[in-house]
Amino acid sequence: MREMISPEEAKSLVLAEAQPTEIETCSLIEALGRPVAEKVHSTCDVAPFAHSAMDGYALRCADIAHASSEHPVSLCVLGELAAGDWFDGEVQAGQCVRIMTGAPLPQGADSVVKFEIVKADAGTAQPGTQAVFSAPTALHSNIREAGEEAKQGDIVMSTSEIVNPAGLGFLASCGVSSVRVHKKPRVAIISIGSELVDIASTPTRAQIRNSNAYALSASALEAGAVADIRPIVHDSLDDLKKEIEYCTSCYDVVVTSGGASNGDFDFIKPAIDSLGTLMMTTVNMRPGKAVAFGLVHDVPVFGLPGNPAAAYVSFEMFVRPTLRKMQGYTCLERGFVWAHLDVDVKKRDPRRIYLRARVRREGDSYYVSPAQNQSSGLFGVIQCSNCLATIPEGLESKHAGDKVKCILLGVSEDSVF
């Protein structure tokens, strides 16, 4: 195991160990935003029958083929047909039916002329009245044909396709009431540190509230997982090992924060090493250098730094794509844009730097403003940021106007820019 690896190597390493969760059946509403785990087939034709696309008159288009304003054509109205009703007769030459949007096309009719361009006796649709047409229409005009969108048995959603609101409606129209998806990964969030207290408690001197647990739980929820904040673990190797043993027996992923460095009270690396296989200890990035990863009972265990920004960035880089892969998502990388820096950025650290920043669009170009305070101990800066502006490895500084890669936060991985 190499002491320091690149962010790309680290991501490949953790993703190689990410296994899909079990497949379950869920309702359509529960499937919203999730990728389907199996192909979905339509149970019927969509539409199930030919119907009118608008309010108008159903007729034979040949009857008004020569209609004009100078020589209008009158057709005998057989009656009115509303959506949900059925017309028992057949439209013959010289006849038409007043039809509403969604109503089945009467037998014999092959076109619909919209209501607004037809003159009718007294504006009614009583049988025996006349409808006057002053222009021809095309065959099958204003008709939605049976099976136009899907035929019974057609594949209407492919494996890994994400169910969006429109797709949910489409599946409903296909008679699909449930789909097969991968279960949401269950994530245990463990905060390590004798200085931590619950957020409802008042810290005494030398204590701080356990804020990381809430940010990381929210990040897990945003990634589609189910998060459970576990009790705080004080700086004890034995206590930490017991908690990891328990969590790897009933969760799909374990995420810890704190105790990831090499100090006398940093125990996550020896805990993973003694219980399973430690595969990663440091990554060539800032913030988030001290990131441990390994397997305990084949369950991925991430040891993230204790500093808030470092924990957050590490989660974005490694935990989030892992959780998405486990759910069957195929797009695992956040979207990014290349943006012009508003200010100079001096490079004093050879690691890759992820600056908390705000990117904006002006015309056809993007511009990015890094936050003034880049301390890894701050959450508020991230709250005000919408991207991570990336400064490559090395000591080469960047200048105002230079382009840098900006990883977009809060934007779906399958978005296109």
Side-chain angles (χ1 to χ4, degrees), residues 26 46 90 151 211 237 301 347 365:
C26 73
V46 182
E90 181 177 351
K151 299 288 187 182
S211 57
L237 178 58
V301 179
K347 194 76 162 29
S365 300

Side-chain angles (χ1 to χ4, degrees), residues 336-342 357-361 365-369 387 389-391 398-408:
F336 67 89
V337 296
W338 289 91
H340 299 276
L341 280 168
D342 284 334
R358 286 199 66 81
V359 65
R360 68 190 186 279
R361 183 170 182 172
S365 300
Y366 291 94
Y367 297 86
V368 62
S369 299
C387 74
T390 307
I391 309 300
K398 294 292 183 180
H399 303 285
D402 288 348
K403 278 189 174 182
V404 295
K405 181 179 179 180
C406 295
I407 301 170
L408 302 177

Side-chain angles (χ1 to χ4, degrees), residues 301-358:
V301 179
F302 292 87
L304 307 185
N307 281 323
Y312 177 85
V313 171
S314 300
F315 190 102
E316 276 286 324
M317 294 294 107
F318 311 120
V319 185
R320 180 179 172 88
T322 296
L323 296 178
R324 286 180 61 85
K325 183 180 177 183
M326 294 173 75
Q327 296 169 82
Y329 290 97
T330 55
C331 293
L332 306 179
E333 301 279 347
R334 288 279 202 190
F336 67 89
V337 296
W338 289 91
H340 299 276
L341 280 168
D342 284 334
V343 296
D344 293 344
V345 176
K346 293 182 179 179
K347 194 76 162 29
R348 297 185 177 92
D349 190 321
R351 288 176 287 173
R352 183 180 307 176
I353 308 295
Y354 293 107
L355 299 175
R356 280 71 75 201
R358 286 199 66 81

Side-chain angles (χ1 to χ4, degrees), residues 11 187-189 212 215-225 227 253-256 285 287-288 291 302 304-305 308-323 334:
K11 187 172 295 186
V187 183
I189 305 294
N212 274 1
L216 297 178
S217 294
S219 295
L221 291 173
E222 192 181 57
V253 176
V254 176
V255 177
T256 72
M285 58 187 253
V291 179
F302 292 87
L304 307 185
Y312 177 85
V313 171
S314 300
F315 190 102
E316 276 286 324
M317 294 294 107
F318 311 120
V319 185
R320 180 179 172 88
T322 296
L323 296 178
R334 288 279 202 190

Side-chain angles (χ1 to χ4, degrees), residues 77-296:
V77 179
L78 298 179
E80 186 175 55
L81 181 59
D85 291 339
W86 186 265
F87 189 78
D88 289 326
E90 181 177 351
V91 176
Q92 305 286 347
Q95 300 176 333
C96 64
V97 172
R98 176 79 166 94
I99 192 169
M100 305 302 168
T101 303
L105 190 69
Q107 187 177 352
D110 57 24
S111 302
V112 172
V113 176
K114 64 180 180 180
F115 170 77
E116 289 81 1
I117 62 173
V118 180
K119 292 182 179 180
D121 288 351
T124 70
Q126 295 298 316
T129 59
Q130 297 291 307
V132 181
F133 301 84
S134 300
T137 191
L139 183 65
H140 302 306
S141 59
N142 302 316
I143 294 172
R144 295 194 177 106
E145 301 291 348
E148 181 178 84
E149 192 165 21
K151 299 288 187 182
Q152 182 177 357
D154 280 356
I155 296 172
V156 291
M157 203 161 283
S158 302
T159 304
S160 297
E161 190 171 346
I162 299 172
V163 182
N164 60 27
L168 193 147
F170 180 36
L171 292 178
S173 68
C174 293
V176 177
S177 59
S178 62
V179 295
R180 301 276 282 166
V181 296
H182 288 282
K183 289 183 177 181
K184 294 185 175 184
R186 298 162 298 167
V187 183
I189 305 294
I190 305 171
S191 295
I192 306 169
S194 298
E195 76 279 14
L196 300 175
V197 295
D198 186 74
I199 62 168
S201 302
T202 301
T204 60
R205 294 174 66 178
Q207 290 183 325
I208 59 173
R209 289 187 172 92
N210 181 20
S211 57
N212 274 1
Y214 291 85
L216 297 178
S217 294
S219 295
L221 291 173
E222 192 181 57
V226 176
D228 186 6
I229 296 176
R230 298 290 303 162
I232 295 168
V233 177
H234 290 173
D235 293 319
S236 163
L237 178 58
D238 289 340
D239 289 349
L240 182 55
K241 288 170 63 176
K242 289 177 184 177
E243 180 65 13
I244 292 177
E245 280 275 27
Y246 171 78
C247 290
T248 52
S249 70
C250 52
Y251 291 91
D252 300 304
V253 176
V254 176
V255 177
T256 72
S257 66
S261 294
N262 297 313
D264 293 342
F265 297 97
D266 294 327
F267 296 120
I268 186 59
K269 288 187 284 190
I272 296 174
D273 196 34
S274 64
L275 296 173
T277 305
L278 182 63
M279 306 174 70
M280 179 174 85
T281 58
T282 50
V283 181
N284 192 22
M285 58 187 253
R286 178 181 179 184
K289 173 185 174 182
V291 179
F293 172 77
L295 298 179
V296 176

